[in-house]
Amino acid sequence: MVRGQFQALACLGSLAALSFPVPPAQAATIERAPLKQACQVVAVKPQIDVKGMIRGAAIRSGCDDRTRFRVRIKRVVPGPDRTVKSGSKMLTNGRIVAGVRCVRTPARYYVVALDYRGGAGKSGAVTLSCKRQTPPKSGGASAVEDTVVKLTNEARAAGGCRPLVHDPKLHAAAERHSADMAARGFFDHTSPDGRSPGDRVRAAGFAPISTWGENIAKGRRTAAQAVDGWLNSPGHRANIMNCAFTHIGVGHAATGPHWTQVFAAH
């Protein structure tokens, strides 16, 4: 069973994932993880973060060989485009991010991803300047919770899925579950009083529900660590990369820390 499988990994980072479709008859079955895909290298369009930095990300997934992986943020200029920031690290699968301070004058930027096994990717170009503002947080979500959504959507883009909408009702369900786990000292999809993720989604008012899923984590100190941990675990990754999901809610409790991702679709 999925839950038992991931509870066994608690000592390696306390991760758990659960996903259920909800057909009209309300019968629940656990979704299966997809088969492993071929090695992919993807560059994600650059964007401005809350600190006024232009961030560019590169993602390598489905690979079984360790190599040096590089990300470059390039600025479109007359003549050869200029690399304004780059970074690299040794990895098999994962993501790498580079950042450069934005400027007031609008300019066009794109991201290039390269590995030393011949894989390459290039994002589309976007016009950015530090006059641009980040989108408002959804439903009272914190900056770290919005960062989880952003990183999740970057991973989904690499797999061809549309971005998830950070829904206020799902955010409330996720935030309450993280706070409950921290306050009562448990780590599970099912609350001590027997409430399931589906119960919490319905109680938050997200309706109708055609499908839902949940990832939880404990002990990951940053949003990036939480998302990386989920992406490196098949069951959690299956939830993140499930193109049937359209909405997400993220809840973070500093004690633990505890993290909850709730996925759903009408």
Side-chain angles (χ1 to χ4, degrees):
M1 184 170 177
V2 170
R3 186 181 307 145
Q5 177 184 356
F6 292 108
Q7 281 294 97
L9 296 178
C11 64
L12 299 179
S14 297
L15 300 170
L18 196 66
S19 180
F20 283 94
V22 184
Q26 299 300 311
T29 57
I30 297 175
E31 293 191 359
R32 300 181 181 275
L35 295 176
K36 186 176 180 181
Q37 298 178 346
C39 184
Q40 295 184 8
V41 171
V42 177
V44 181
K45 285 183 180 179
Q47 54 188 288
I48 299 174
D49 67 11
V50 295
K51 296 182 179 180
M53 298 288 289
I54 295 173
R55 300 287 183 185
I59 301 171
R60 192 172 193 256
S61 62
C63 307
D64 55 13
D65 59 327
R66 185 173 175 83
T67 186
R68 182 161 294 281
F69 192 43
R70 182 175 294 278
V71 60
R72 290 177 178 149
I73 302 176
K74 298 183 78 74
R75 181 174 178 176
V76 179
V77 296
D81 294 339
R82 184 164 67 94
T83 299
V84 295
K85 193 68 176 181
S86 67
S88 69
K89 64 180 178 181
M90 296 294 297
L91 54 75
T92 301
N93 295 298
R95 65 190 300 274
I96 182 171
V97 178
V100 62
R101 180 69 61 180
C102 69
V103 296
R104 294 188 63 85
T105 303
R108 289 183 66 75
Y109 299 88
Y110 61 93
V111 174
V112 173
L114 299 165
D115 70 21
Y116 285 77
R117 300 289 187 181
K122 178 181 175 181
S123 77
V126 292
T127 301
L128 301 172
S129 79
C130 56
K131 293 180 181 179
R132 293 183 60 148
Q133 301 297 316
T134 55
K137 293 187 283 291
S138 303
S142 68
V144 70
E145 290 164 344
D146 279 337
T147 298
V148 171
V149 177
K150 172 180 172 291
L151 297 176
T152 298
N153 280 334
E154 287 178 358
R156 284 172 63 84
C161 293
R162 292 183 178 181
L164 298 165
V165 175
H166 200 181
D167 181 81
K169 293 176 181 177
L170 294 182
H171 165 251
E175 190 171 53
R176 290 166 188 166
H177 188 52
S178 288
D180 192 29
M181 288 191 292
R184 294 202 271 179
F186 72 96
F187 180 71
D188 203 335
H189 295 288
T190 303
S191 305
D193 54 11
R195 287 178 298 133
S196 71
D199 295 330
R200 293 188 290 270
V201 170
R202 293 182 185 93
F206 186 90
I209 309 170
S210 65
T211 183
W212 59 260
E214 182 177 86
N215 287 345
I216 59 176
K218 178 182 176 183
R220 303 295 172 120
R221 294 295 167 184
T222 67
Q225 289 175 357
V227 175
D228 283 345
W230 285 324
L231 287 172
N232 288 320
S233 173
H236 303 85
R237 184 179 182 86
N239 278 344
I240 290 174
M241 304 304 291
N242 187 338
C243 294
F245 293 135
T246 56
H247 293 72
I248 188 174
V250 175
H252 168 255
T255 301
H258 286 80
W259 307 81
T260 302
Q261 281 183 316
V262 177
F263 307 90
H266 290 301

